[in-house]
Amino acid sequence: MHVEAGHHCLNCRTALVGEYCHACGQSTHIHRTLGAWWHDFSHGVLHVEGQVWRTMAMLVTRPGELTRRYIAGERRRFLSPLALYLFSVFLLYVAYSVLGGFGTFHPAGTKETATELRAEIAKTDQRIAVIDRARAAAVAARRDTTTLDQERAQLVEQKRGMDLTAMALGGGEETDAGHGEHQERVITGWASLDAKIAHAIRDPEFLLFKMEANGYKFSWALILLSMPFMRLFFLWKRGLAMFDHAVFVTYSLSFVSLLMVVMILWTRLAHLPGLGLLMLAFPVHLFLQIRGAYRLGLVSGLLMTLVVSVMAAMVLLIWIIGLLALGMAH
């Protein structure tokens, strides 16, 4: 179907003055054939693929130039930072779900360690019982019990630490059996919080599962947490807007997500060594991106890379604490 000039666009009803609608961009040539459908499909796929591969290639080799050119206005040539980030996070989620992370949650020997801890806890209970008898005798004889009280307090604190560790390793239920201490354990003094912490310690796998699910849903929070820091660190640099920092952070996090996908494939699928060398790619990439995006010299680029690296660690810690709180709250 061909819509003549002077007629209206079939999409937005704007009066046409050429082969394309000047309001929405739709062509005046409207086809209803299978060949036209295949043409649109192939064009769309090839166009998107070209955009994706061009963006990812520059993200790896010239991240600073990619960031600067996108900010300068080359929006059609490159995939938007947010679209690339969502794509990379999706790949990371698939890789992690199918292949797992970089290691198991319970390493080899965990159960044996829990058994040894239970045995040590039993010995500690025996020593506490001996001290209690000695203290009772000292009280009856009206002798000073300060030393015995201090020794008992130290043993109780040691037992408490070993008890929590044994629970985290999967051996806490047997330790608490018959003692009635599980419900009365005081960790922070806040009863409801202590109950949630104790539940998390008893079932760490379920807590980890909830943190993983929330991590995928709230991965965008890393961008929001990082942007204020970037704004603060580059106050001395004129001509920058918050949008510029958002583009920088989002492209950087996209690279980190893709790097983690490579690391998972490297260790879990290919079983190759050298994971530490792959991890070094992040600071190198960060230096190249900072220096190129903000047009910094060698020394200032290195300094800001160090500052932003510390910031990234802080943001990641805040984000993990937030996921931990969400996992324990629900």
Side-chain angles (χ1 to χ4, degrees), residues 214-233:
N214 288 328
Y216 177 68
K217 291 187 293 185
F218 295 100
S219 59
W220 51 266
L222 290 169
I223 301 175
L224 299 182
L225 290 172
S226 302
M227 285 167 54
F229 288 101
M230 294 298 296
R231 178 70 170 176
L232 178 63
F233 295 154

Side-chain angles (χ1 to χ4, degrees), residues 148-326:
L148 292 174
D149 291 339
Q150 292 176 349
E151 184 177 358
R152 188 184 190 281
Q154 292 177 355
L155 289 174
V156 169
E157 185 63 25
Q158 291 177 4
K159 177 181 180 296
R160 177 173 174 269
M162 289 187 294
D163 192 20
L164 292 174
T165 304
M167 289 176 64
L169 293 175
E173 295 180 358
E174 293 182 21
T175 302
D176 291 329
H179 293 284
E181 297 178 359
H182 175 67
Q183 298 296 332
E184 300 177 1
R185 181 179 291 107
V186 177
I187 301 176
T188 66
W190 187 357
S192 60
L193 180 59
D194 287 346
K196 293 181 181 298
I197 293 176
H199 183 271
I201 292 175
R202 289 197 308 273
D203 194 0
E205 288 89 352
F206 184 59
L207 176 62
L208 181 62
F209 170 77
K210 291 191 291 185
M211 290 180 65
E212 291 172 353
N214 288 328
Y216 177 68
K217 291 187 293 185
F218 295 100
S219 59
W220 51 266
L222 290 169
I223 301 175
L224 299 182
L225 290 172
S226 302
M227 285 167 54
F229 288 101
M230 294 298 296
R231 178 70 170 176
L232 178 63
F233 295 154
F234 284 94
L235 280 176
W236 56 274
K237 191 78 172 175
R238 294 185 178 182
L240 296 177
M242 187 64 82
F243 175 83
D244 304 347
H245 302 306
V247 172
F248 175 90
V249 169
T250 310
Y251 272 142
S252 181
L253 288 174
S254 299
F255 174 80
V256 173
S257 300
L258 294 174
L259 177 62
M260 293 183 67
V261 172
V262 173
M263 292 169 65
I264 290 175
L265 297 177
W266 188 273
T267 56
R268 307 291 288 183
L269 191 61
H271 303 289
L272 296 174
L275 184 63
L277 293 177
L278 286 177
M279 295 176 66
L280 291 177
F282 170 67
V284 174
H285 182 272
L286 185 61
F287 168 73
L288 294 176
Q289 187 180 9
I290 286 180
R291 191 181 180 191
Y294 295 104
R295 299 182 182 274
L296 303 179
L298 178 61
V299 176
S300 57
L302 288 172
L303 178 60
M304 293 310 300
T305 299
L306 177 61
V307 172
V308 174
S309 297
V310 175
M311 179 273 293
M314 292 175 54
V315 167
L316 182 61
L317 179 60
I318 295 172
W319 185 69
I320 292 176
I321 291 175
L323 295 182
L324 181 62
L326 282 174

